[in-house]
């Protein structure tokens, strides 16, 4: 989990398998995979205990109806209930050991949720409920622990769900723009975000590609702060406040992009929605000063 934290710090909410998760982690002089992409339930051969190390689902799953109030429903592997993968999953329940849940956000990208615990086991329905836990203890060596309080578990599930939606939104928007910033064309995937044109709490704020812009961290922040705006004719505008400000190398990063065309997605149907841009641009004009 410490190694996953490092990867998460490097890549953000979701982590690519290639160049990221495929590195695995070192353990007793060996390199151990984080997950097995060929099957959902994974227990490493070097483990002495019987419980699973991680589980995963692909980008299409879990659907929202597989998310219950205090956890995620995770199905057994097909076949015998006591088949080895199912035994490993059920042992994680019996022993209450922490596991990692890798949730697919786009093909070959996963959001790791950890620590997780198997909260309940239903061999008749052939499924378990997996719920997020927490870390307690010193900053340098916190120990994973289950959340005993129901309200805390529900809160953790809601948070995970929100982050999952954000990660999937990013997973749709950023590739639509050929994985570059729509303003400065920066291509560093680790610095690219999906910015909402209309905020997700407002009407029209759905997480669709047409309500998104692929922006680098700097331009995302500047867009959110109305320091840069995009007009419905797909032109980038920098606020007058910034344009009239003193020169400086950091400001050039923003000022240099005034009155340039936005880099659009290749596919026409992925292009930003002009009506949403208009709503947002009016606000920019009000605030840009
Ligand atoms: Zn940028």
């Amino acid at each position: 989990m410490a190694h996953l934290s490092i990867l998460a710090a490097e890549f953000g909410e979701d982590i690519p398998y290639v160049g990221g998760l495929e590195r695995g982690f070192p353990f007793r002089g060996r390199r151990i995979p984080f997950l097995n992409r060929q099957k959902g339930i994974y227990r490493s051969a070097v483990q002495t205990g019987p419980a699973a190390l991680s589980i995963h689902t692909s980008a299409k799953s879990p659907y929202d109806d597989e998310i219950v109030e205090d956890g995620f429903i995770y199905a057994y592997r097909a076949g015998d209930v006591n088949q080895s993968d199912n035994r490993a999953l059920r042992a994680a329940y019996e022993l209450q050991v922490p596991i990692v849940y890798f949730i697919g956000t786009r093909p070959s990208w996963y959001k790791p949720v950890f620590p997780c615990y198997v909260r309940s086991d239903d061999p008749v329905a052939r499924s378990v409920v997996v719920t997020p836990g927490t870390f307690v203890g010193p900053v340098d060596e916190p120990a994973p622990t289950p959340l005993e309080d129901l309200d805390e578990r529900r809160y953790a599930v809601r948070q995970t769900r929100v982050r999952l939606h954000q990660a999937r939104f990013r997973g749709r928007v950023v590739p639509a723009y050929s994985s570059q910033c729509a303003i400065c064309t920066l291509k560093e995937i680790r610095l690219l975000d999906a910015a909402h044109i209309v905020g997700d709490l407002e009407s029209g704020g759905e997480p669709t590609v047409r309500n998104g812009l692929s922006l680098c961290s700097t331009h995302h922040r500047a867009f959110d702060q109305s320091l840069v705006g995009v007009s419905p004719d797909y032109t980038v505008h920098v606020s007058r406040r910034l344009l009239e400000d003193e020169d400086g190398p950091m400001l050039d990063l923003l000022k240099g992009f005034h009155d340039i065309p936005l880099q659009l997605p290749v596919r026409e149907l992925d292009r930003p929605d002009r009506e949403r841009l208009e709503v947002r641009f009016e606000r920019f004009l009000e605030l840009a000063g």
Side-chain angles (χ1 to χ4, degrees):
M1 290 180 191
H3 285 278
L4 267 183
S5 298
I6 294 168
L7 280 178
E10 190 178 326
F11 288 96
E13 284 292 335
D14 53 349
I15 304 173
Y17 186 78
V18 177
L21 292 171
E22 70 177 355
R23 290 182 218 161
F25 62 96
F27 179 73
R28 291 184 184 157
R30 291 177 63 176
R31 197 143 278 278
I32 313 299
F34 285 112
L35 69 161
N36 180 342
R37 290 200 298 164
Q38 312 309 318
K39 52 186 195 168
I41 304 161
Y42 169 62
R43 179 181 166 276
S44 167
V46 303
Q47 286 178 254
T48 49
L53 185 67
S54 70
I55 55 176
H56 93 268
T57 50
S58 69
K60 284 179 182 157
S61 205
Y63 296 106
D64 275 354
D65 58 5
E66 286 166 351
I67 305 177
V68 289
E69 246 189 346
D70 78 328
F72 301 86
I73 297 172
Y74 194 87
Y76 285 9
R77 192 177 173 177
D80 192 337
V81 166
N82 287 313
Q83 174 270 353
S84 62
D85 289 335
N86 292 334
R87 276 209 315 273
L89 181 65
R90 302 183 69 196
Y93 168 69
E94 281 147 23
L95 300 169
Q96 284 298 293
V97 291
I99 61 170
V100 179
Y101 186 9
F102 290 95
I103 305 178
T105 54
R106 58 184 124 156
S108 290
W109 283 68
Y110 299 91
K111 172 175 175 47
V113 183
F114 60 98
C116 274
Y117 289 85
V118 180
R119 189 87 217 156
S120 58
D121 178 20
D122 186 343
V124 177
R126 301 178 52 90
S127 65
V128 295
V129 173
V130 179
T131 196
T134 189
F135 286 100
V136 293
V139 175
D140 57 341
E141 219 170 296
T145 182
L147 287 168
E148 297 303 339
D149 184 76
L150 179 62
D151 286 338
E152 282 180 2
R153 283 204 302 278
R154 287 176 175 167
Y155 180 75
V157 170
R158 281 200 303 273
Q159 291 294 99
T160 303
R161 186 181 194 160
V162 167
R163 295 219 186 101
L164 186 58
H165 280 280
Q166 283 164 350
R168 285 182 173 163
F169 179 51
R170 178 176 181 247
R172 288 192 296 271
V173 172
V174 172
Y177 287 77
S178 310
S179 298
Q180 56 181 1
C181 175
I183 294 177
C184 69
T185 72
L186 181 81
K187 269 182 122 53
E188 175 51 63
I189 187 78
R190 287 168 237 203
L191 295 176
L192 292 175
D193 295 332
H196 281 84
I197 297 172
V198 173
D200 52 2
L201 299 177
E202 302 166 53
S203 83
E206 296 80 9
T208 63
V209 174
R210 301 202 68 207
N211 186 33
L213 291 173
S214 168
L215 296 177
C216 70
S217 311
T218 302
H219 286 125
H220 185 189
R221 184 71 72 87
F223 183 75
D224 283 352
Q225 300 291 323
S226 289
L227 294 171
V228 301
V230 177
S231 50
D233 64 353
Y234 302 141
T235 303
V236 178
H237 297 258
V238 176
S239 78
R240 206 171 338 126
R241 196 148 44 94
L242 265 189
L243 286 174
E244 288 169 359
D245 210 339
E246 294 288 304
D247 270 326
M250 284 308 286
L251 277 180
D252 286 342
L253 180 62
L254 296 166
K255 287 160 77 169
F257 296 99
H258 181 60
D259 204 21
I260 60 152
L262 190 76
Q263 301 290 320
L264 292 169
V266 182
R267 298 197 318 168
E268 193 128 358
L269 56 92
D270 287 339
R271 293 189 179 176
D273 176 21
R274 290 177 195 268
E275 280 175 29
R276 286 187 174 108
L277 278 178
E278 193 168 348
V279 170
R280 182 64 187 252
F281 191 60
E282 272 171 27
R283 203 181 318 156
F284 166 78
L285 290 177
E286 275 168 33
L287 296 169

